[in-house]
Amino acid sequence: LISNMDFSEALKLLKQGAVMRRASWSGTKRIVLMAGSTDLEILPYIGIVTKDGKFGVYTATNCDILAEDWMRYC
C-alpha cells in the first residue's frame, strides 16, 4: 500500500487507473479518472464518490492540492 503521497504523485497514479483518496477523508470517499467519449465530445474528468455513495465531479481544493496524505483506495 502506497500512502502519504502528495497530489502530483496521486495524480500520476490516477492517470494509470488507480482509485485515490486522502487519509483524512471519512467513509469510502474516493476519486477516479473518468474516461471521456469522442462520440459525445466529453473530455476525461476526475469524478468523486462521496462518503454516502453519490457520484459527482471532483474539484480539488487548495488543501487537497497541498496535502501529503494521498493514498490508494483499496
Side-chain angles (χ1 to χ4, degrees):
L1 179 66
I2 300 171
S3 61
N4 297 324
M5 290 179 265
D6 65 24
F7 187 71
S8 64
E9 294 169 304
L11 185 58
K12 286 177 188 176
L13 290 172
L14 196 67
K15 288 179 177 181
Q16 295 172 11
V19 178
M20 305 301 295
R21 65 172 282 122
R22 290 195 51 204
S24 62
W25 286 350
S26 61
T28 58
K29 190 174 176 181
R30 61 206 183 268
I31 60 172
V32 295
L33 182 63
M34 302 300 296
S37 169
T38 55
D39 294 342
L40 301 174
E41 297 183 5
I42 298 173
L43 297 172
Y45 64 95
I46 299 174
I48 188 166
V49 180
T50 61
K51 63 183 177 182
D52 58 356
K54 295 182 180 172
F55 185 82
V57 175
Y58 172 72
T59 303
T61 65
N62 284 334
C63 291
D64 290 339
I65 293 169
L66 296 173
E68 296 184 0
D69 69 342
W70 285 96
M71 58 191 287
R72 283 183 186 255
Y73 176 83
C74 296

